[in-house]
Amino acid sequence: MEKKLSVDHLLGIKDLTKEDIELIFSQADEFKEVLNRPIKKVPSLRDITVANLFFENSTRTRLSFELAEKRLSADVVNFSASTSSVKKGETLIDTVNNILAMKVDMVVMRHSAPGSCLFLSQHIDAAIVNAGDGTHEHPTQALLDAYSIREKLGSVKGKKVVIVGDITHSRVAISNIYCLQKLGAQVMVCGPTTLIPRHIEKMGVLVEHNLMKALEWCDVANMLRIQLERQDVNVSYFPSLREYSMQYGLDKKKLDSLSKKIVVMHPGPINRGVEITSDVADSDQSIILDQVENGVAIRMAVIYLLAQRRRGTAE
Ligand code: NCD
């Protein structure tokens, strides 16, 4: 029997089982092979229409989803908040219901409100894929990150991964913690006290405030961007960006002083010279561009498996 996902929507990694994640990975392996062919397209989703609704800025995630949908031969409509009637005061449900009236089967949404994707899934009849909901989750990013670690190191199980930076405001961090733990990795978070949520150890992660100690411990370092747009403007989380990068930025000197060769990741967009220097981002220890490449295969797998599940329940 064909394996199916246990969920109708991809709202967060928290809802997925280890088997779901492994199913997505093996499907992504097949699609990655397709993406390396001269004709990078399969007809699997010819009967599906997907709407990409981006209420928040995005470059790579939006392009990656759009490419994934097109490589599966789905029909695609794009919407970005800055050019829409949201600006005229329309509610989220009204906006989406109007789009669904045009017979859309799946909605990929990015929104600044945590929980907005769950809310939508409870009110409309379409499969929902969360492309980032505020500070809550960014499930496809975590899937492509874990998939890239599996590709580089052979497996995720037993690996030590440190997530460095603005953990408090990062949906990438939360989704990565769930995903890596479900796959059996050990996870540490590292950053200034002000950017690490209190009681985060309850999620089963280690906490380290000294970057060099964290780097010595890990096999993989995932360097995150400071989420200035989500921080409270009245609070100062660190004295200056320069001071932050001296303490928590990764440069070649720190990387080369380690006793082993670690793998360096970043979800993008990079602020070169803040959380990571150019020579590290472009070094042979960095898998940043592999992450981007794998993002398309992972998103194809997620969309394909959700569509397959939807067809199954409609029959
Ligand atoms: C991340 C995001 O939007 O949460 N980026 C991404 O999806 N490529 C991380 C970030 O913005 O720093």
Side-chain angles (χ1 to χ4, degrees):
M1 213 183 79
E2 217 173 13
K3 284 197 194 155
K4 292 227 161 97
L5 288 178
S6 70
V7 289
D8 294 327
H9 310 277
L10 179 62
L11 303 177
I13 302 287
K14 195 176 180 192
D15 311 322
L16 299 184
T17 62
K18 179 169 172 258
E19 289 68 36
D20 287 328
I21 299 173
E22 279 164 359
L23 176 61
I24 293 168
F25 284 4
S26 59
Q27 190 63 54
D29 287 339
E30 282 181 39
F31 287 139
K32 198 160 170 182
E33 203 253 307
V34 171
L35 293 174
N36 286 318
R37 289 186 204 155
I39 297 172
K40 304 173 179 47
K41 216 168 165 155
V42 285
S44 320
L45 257 60
R46 267 202 310 227
D47 55 335
I48 298 276
T49 305
V50 187
N52 298 314
L53 312 187
F54 279 73
F55 294 90
E56 237 192 18
N57 294 346
S58 171
T59 314
R60 89 210 72 227
T61 305
R62 194 172 58 75
L63 285 178
S64 181
F65 269 111
E66 194 176 337
L67 261 182
E69 292 147 8
K70 290 187 168 160
R71 304 263 194 248
L72 290 165
S73 308
D75 288 324
V76 180
V77 283
N78 288 311
F79 161 102
S80 72
S82 52
T83 55
S84 73
S85 288
V86 176
K87 288 267 182 267
K88 300 181 189 166
E90 190 173 62
T91 65
L92 179 59
I93 292 191
D94 279 338
T95 303
V96 178
N97 269 331
N98 275 285
I99 295 167
L100 291 187
M102 302 176 209
K103 304 273 176 278
V104 169
D105 308 283
M106 198 176 287
V107 171
V108 174
M109 184 168 82
R110 168 168 287 195
H111 198 285
S112 59
S116 47
C117 292
L118 170 67
F119 175 74
L120 211 57
S121 73
Q122 291 165 336
H123 288 91
I124 65 163
D125 178 29
I128 311 291
V129 182
N130 180 1
D133 60 335
T135 51
H136 176 229
E137 278 226 40
H138 189 356
T140 56
Q141 181 69 46
L143 289 167
L144 74 90
D145 289 344
Y147 184 82
S148 303
I149 294 175
R150 167 184 176 265
E151 181 181 73
K152 180 77 180 175
L153 300 178
S155 78
V156 176
K157 196 169 189 280
K159 298 295 177 304
K160 294 175 176 170
V161 183
V162 63
I163 307 172
V164 182
D166 186 356
I167 312 297
T168 302
H169 302 95
S170 172
R171 53 196 176 203
V172 175
I174 300 303
S175 291
N176 258 278
I177 292 171
Y178 285 132
C179 192
L180 293 166
Q181 287 182 338
K182 284 182 196 232
L183 295 174
Q186 270 181 277
V187 185
M188 176 185 277
V189 292
C190 177
T193 325
T194 46
L195 293 179
I196 306 248
R198 246 194 260 185
H199 309 303
I200 194 157
E201 320 77 61
K202 294 215 171 103
M203 287 186 83
V205 298
L206 299 165
V207 179
E208 175 60 70
H209 298 295
N210 181 311
L211 179 68
M212 289 317 290
K213 282 192 187 157
L215 295 176
E216 271 302 344
W217 171 86
C218 75
D219 302 305
V220 180
N222 193 352
M223 308 302 297
L224 303 184
R225 186 177 64 85
I226 299 286
Q227 308 276 299
L228 286 175
E229 73 279 22
R230 289 184 217 290
Q231 296 184 353
D232 184 339
V233 287
N234 299 314
V235 177
S236 196
Y237 294 86
F238 43 84
S240 67
L241 273 183
R242 189 165 168 269
E243 180 140 348
Y244 175 84
S245 77
M246 274 164 65
Q247 286 215 38
Y248 293 102
L250 184 55
D251 62 19
K252 200 83 175 67
K253 202 166 146 234
K254 291 180 191 167
L255 195 62
D256 290 344
S257 73
L258 300 175
S259 56
K260 59 182 173 186
K261 269 198 144 193
I262 62 165
V263 176
V264 180
M265 306 177 72
H266 194 303
I270 298 179
N271 279 321
R272 286 178 186 255
V274 180
E275 64 274 3
I276 191 169
T277 54
S278 284
D279 47 4
V280 174
D282 304 331
S283 77
D284 62 353
Q285 280 166 265
S286 151
I287 57 166
I288 297 173
L289 289 178
D290 301 318
Q291 291 173 263
V292 178
E293 185 187 335
N294 289 334
V296 180
I298 282 289
R299 291 180 173 114
M300 284 174 83
V302 165
I303 292 166
Y304 173 82
L305 290 166
L306 287 177
Q308 189 195 41
R309 187 169 159 95
R310 200 170 157 80
R311 282 192 198 116
T313 47
E315 274 158 15

